[in-house]
Amino acid sequence: MKQKYQSLVHQTIPVSKAIGWDIESLDIHYIKAHIKLAPNINIHGTGFAGSIYAAAMATGWTLLKCWYEENHYSAELVAAEANIQYLAPVTEDFYCLATLDKSEPQYRKLQERLSQPKSCGYQLPVKVECNEKVCAILTIQFVFKCA
Amino acid sequence: MKQKYQSLVHQTIPVSKAIGWDIESLDIHYIKAHIKLAPNINIHGTGFAGSIYAAAMATGWTLLKCWYEENHYSAELVAAEANIQYLAPVTEDFYCLATLDKSEPQYRKLQERLSQPKSCGYQLPVKVECNEKVCAILTIQFVFKCA
């Protein structure tokens, strides 16, 4: 599964390759991506805010894409809005992590709506970690669009 | 001025080159950047949300960097938080535009604080336009850090 989605993302979102984004671990409810610092530095030699965001967005999108495809739902997945908080500088290669929490009301609602099928929103947090410290949190408002 | 900051950004933020970001017009209160779609596509062939954000962030950062350097203020400029709304797909090469509004209270406050010098926040909106349509709006909370 990891290799399938790694190839899909690298082939369809070329920026994911340019920023050195790779999947380290993936199942339908969890993703951990590894990102190289070198292509993503800013003027301070730390992670560029734009690269950190792009890496986290690719990570969140990949998890939801994997989840709905492996569940055989049919939808188009887009980001409607997002908020990112930068908490500490990224000083080394870093990780982006996201989990689909099955206990959340929005998870059950999403399953119900996609089964009909009807469009549905989903808010996903993605953590950015470097050296075991949370450096940023991206919260993405996704929309699953059904025809 | 355009060439000076174009070179600075390309040399210190390598992702700006990878995404085909170039300054079209720059003075200390206004910036317009041009971005190629090709390196920034997603699975739908439109602009990847992460690339759009990175281009807008580079644009906003460059305007404030230019403004404070040309005004001979001394500070470190970082992004603390940002929010982006995606309003329409980016289907062609696109533009990022930002203006420093001298009539805003936060502008006068920033001048006063940096003159002392003391750290100060500044909220900057960056518009993303494609084919004369606003496709996204990024609102960045910057911080000018004074030692």
Side-chain angles (χ1 to χ4, degrees), chain A residues 46-60:
Chain A
T46 60
F48 168 52
S51 288
I52 292 168
Y53 177 102
M57 176 58 75
T59 304

Side-chain angles (χ1 to χ4, degrees), chain A residues 119-134:
Chain A
S119 298
C120 189
Y122 195 87
Q123 192 178 74
L124 183 71
V126 181
K127 272 195 299 186
V128 178
E129 290 189 359
C130 172
N131 210 2
E132 296 179 6
K133 187 173 177 180
V134 178

Side-chain angles (χ1 to χ4, degrees), chain B residues 31 52-53 55-61 63 83-84 95-99 124-129 134 136-140 142:
Chain B
I31 187 167
I52 293 169
Y53 178 100
M57 176 57 75
T59 304
W61 183 85
L63 177 59
N83 181 275
I84 188 165
Y95 295 94
C96 291
L97 305 101
T99 301
L124 183 71
V126 181
K127 271 195 299 187
V128 178
E129 289 188 0
V134 178
I137 296 174
L138 172 65
T139 306
I140 313 163
F142 279 110

Side-chain angles (χ1 to χ4, degrees), chain A residues 12 15 42 51 53 80 82 84 86, chain B residues 12 15 42 51 53 80 82 84 86:
Chain A
T12 59
V15 154
N42 60 22
S51 288
Y53 177 102
I84 188 164
Y86 298 100
Chain B
T12 59
V15 154
N42 60 21
S51 288
Y53 178 100
I84 188 165
Y86 298 100

Side-chain angles (χ1 to χ4, degrees), chain A residues 8 12-15 18-19 38-44 48-51 53-54 57-58 61 65 76-86, chain B residues 8 12-15 18-19 38-44 48-51 53-54 57-58 61 65 76-86:
Chain A
L8 174 75
T12 59
I13 307 176
V15 154
I19 62 172
N40 296 307
I41 54 167
N42 60 22
I43 199 166
H44 313 293
F48 168 52
S51 288
Y53 177 102
M57 176 58 75
W61 184 85
K65 176 80 175 166
E76 185 179 334
L77 178 61
V78 298
E81 188 173 351
N83 181 274
I84 188 164
Q85 291 184 289
Y86 298 100
Chain B
L8 174 76
T12 59
I13 308 175
V15 154
I19 62 173
N40 297 307
I41 54 166
N42 60 21
I43 200 166
H44 312 294
F48 168 52
S51 288
Y53 178 100
M57 176 57 75
W61 183 85
K65 176 81 174 166
E76 185 179 333
L77 178 61
V78 298
E81 187 173 351
N83 181 275
I84 188 165
Q85 291 184 290
Y86 298 100

Side-chain angles (χ1 to χ4, degrees), chain B residues 3-147:
Chain B
Q3 196 49 53
K4 172 181 169 186
Y5 285 94
Q6 171 86 55
S7 301
L8 174 76
V9 176
H10 279 183
Q11 282 165 25
T12 59
I13 308 175
V15 154
S16 67
K17 281 177 87 168
I19 62 173
W21 178 95
D22 287 293
I23 299 174
E24 184 161 302
S25 171
L26 175 67
D27 66 45
I28 63 169
H29 295 112
Y30 175 76
I31 187 167
K32 181 177 185 179
H34 176 268
I35 302 97
K36 292 191 187 77
L37 175 60
N40 297 307
I41 54 166
N42 60 21
I43 200 166
H44 312 294
T46 59
F48 168 52
S51 288
I52 293 169
Y53 178 100
M57 176 57 75
T59 304
W61 183 85
T62 303
L63 177 59
L64 289 190
K65 176 81 174 166
C66 170
W67 175 85
Y68 88 76
E69 283 193 348
E70 300 298 323
N71 277 295
H72 307 292
Y73 293 124
S74 179
E76 185 179 333
L77 178 61
V78 298
E81 187 173 351
N83 181 275
I84 188 165
Q85 291 184 290
Y86 298 100
L87 306 171
V90 166
T91 54
E92 299 178 18
D93 288 5
F94 57 104
Y95 295 94
C96 291
L97 305 101
T99 301
L100 275 186
D101 185 347
K102 289 185 276 186
S103 70
E104 284 187 352
Q106 69 165 349
Y107 183 88
R108 289 190 291 277
K109 185 182 170 189
L110 181 62
Q111 287 181 309
E112 281 171 28
R113 299 273 304 176
L114 292 184
S115 300
Q116 300 186 15
K118 285 191 177 162
S119 298
C120 189
Y122 195 88
Q123 193 178 74
L124 183 71
V126 181
K127 271 195 299 187
V128 178
E129 289 188 0
C130 173
N131 210 2
E132 296 180 6
K133 188 174 178 180
V134 178
C135 295
I137 296 174
L138 172 65
T139 306
I140 313 163
Q141 185 63 47
F142 279 110
V143 178
F144 291 83
K145 288 186 179 177
C146 296

